Amino acid sequence: MINRTVANVEKALEGVKSGMTLMVGGFGLSGIPENSIAQLVKLEVKDLTCISNNAGVDDFGLGLLLQGKQVKKMISSYVGENEEFERQMLSGELEVDLIPQGTLAERCRAAQAGIPAFYTPAGYGTEVAEGKEVREFNGKPHILEHAFKADFAFVKAWKGDEAGNLIFKGTARNFNPCMCGAATITVAEVEELVPAGQLDPNEIHIPGIFVKRIFQGEKYEKRIEQRTTRPRE
């Protein structure tokens, strides 16, 4: 059994350089690789292209990279609650490629599966389709979308083992699974790291073949992006 564990986040991010394209899992603040993002901030790498559903909030998640002007381009499906993301986009400081959410997920999954491109009806007739090949299937126009190419993918799982097998919990099963194996190097940080063989094979969401490095994360904040409560009756 191949042991894919590394000692810490510093070892996990070895090889990350300025100018790279990075996939970052999570949805809003749910299931984001907090330790990896903090290390990217510490490394002070610049001119990054980040593929992520959104950019967190101003002072947390990928918002920390935006604050430090470390991101050159964001490839996302929406701006979310991040005012700095919005400001940089509107001012022209940040390149932004907004993609339909399903297309964003499928471009990750296609890269994971080794599929170079696919056709989708999403975005036809809008700015999303400008300059793209169009073909008709079953009487409906589809546009050609290409799989992403990324240097690193950073994902966060609830539990993993030394062989890189991963189990995601709740809404962390968003963009994390489809980003595993979709980049040259996939780094997984987990809340709990166990010896190989301890996970029930029937509960594993992503097999270790899609993961290059895995490490035990720490000090997860698990913030709530929009806290909604019901008033007492």
Side-chain angles (χ1 to χ4, degrees):
M1 186 75 70
I2 298 175
N3 190 326
R4 303 182 190 277
T5 58
V6 292
N8 48 46
V9 67
E10 289 82 9
K11 290 289 184 182
L13 268 68
E14 283 186 352
V16 174
K17 300 177 182 178
S18 295
M20 284 187 164
T21 296
L22 312 177
M23 287 182 172
V24 184
F27 188 95
L29 300 182
S30 172
I32 64 173
E34 298 173 34
N35 289 251
S36 297
I37 293 172
Q39 181 64 12
L40 288 170
V41 173
K42 186 177 179 181
L43 289 173
E44 298 184 344
V45 285
K46 302 285 186 180
D47 299 322
L48 299 173
T49 295
C50 290
I51 301 167
S52 186
N53 184 62
N54 68 350
V57 293
D58 292 274
D59 62 343
F60 193 62
L62 285 178
L64 296 172
L65 293 177
L66 289 177
Q67 279 185 350
K69 303 293 179 66
Q70 293 175 257
V71 182
K72 176 183 69 176
K73 181 176 182 178
M74 279 296 307
I75 300 176
S76 305
S77 66
Y78 74 111
V79 175
E81 303 292 327
N82 195 317
E83 293 183 3
E84 180 63 14
F85 186 177
E86 180 182 19
R87 188 196 68 76
Q88 289 188 25
M89 180 179 70
L90 295 177
S91 68
E93 298 173 39
L94 178 70
E95 294 179 52
V96 177
D97 190 359
L98 291 178
I99 300 174
Q101 191 157 275
T103 302
L104 183 73
E106 185 62 13
R107 289 179 69 180
C108 295
R109 195 198 67 83
Q112 178 192 69
I115 298 170
F118 59 92
Y119 286 95
T120 175
Y124 176 76
T126 72
E127 293 181 5
V128 171
E130 290 182 1
K132 295 178 182 176
E133 179 186 331
V134 177
R135 285 189 62 184
E136 191 173 285
F137 296 92
N138 300 319
K140 189 174 184 178
H142 292 63
I143 60 176
L144 182 67
E145 295 282 5
H146 291 83
F148 286 126
K149 293 181 180 179
D151 300 293
F152 277 82
F154 299 106
V155 302
K156 189 256 184 178
W158 169 53
K159 190 179 292 187
D161 67 16
E162 295 170 344
N165 299 304
L166 303 177
I167 297 175
F168 300 94
K169 189 174 184 180
T171 50
R173 287 183 70 182
N174 38 55
F175 282 85
N176 282 302
C178 64
M179 287 183 173
C180 292
T184 302
I185 295 176
T186 294
V187 174
E189 58 179 81
V190 296
E191 294 183 40
E192 183 179 350
L193 183 62
V194 301
Q198 283 200 11
L199 299 181
D200 182 345
N202 295 302
E203 296 180 355
I204 291 171
H205 297 133
I206 290 293
I209 191 67
F210 289 112
V211 176
K212 288 288 184 69
R213 303 171 187 172
I214 186 170
F215 71 96
Q216 173 80 59
E218 58 182 17
K219 299 179 180 178
Y220 288 109
E221 293 189 42
K222 296 187 180 181
R223 294 194 195 182
I224 298 174
E225 191 170 0
Q226 288 284 357
R227 184 182 296 274
T228 303
T229 58
R230 184 174 63 185
R232 292 183 179 179
E233 297 179 354

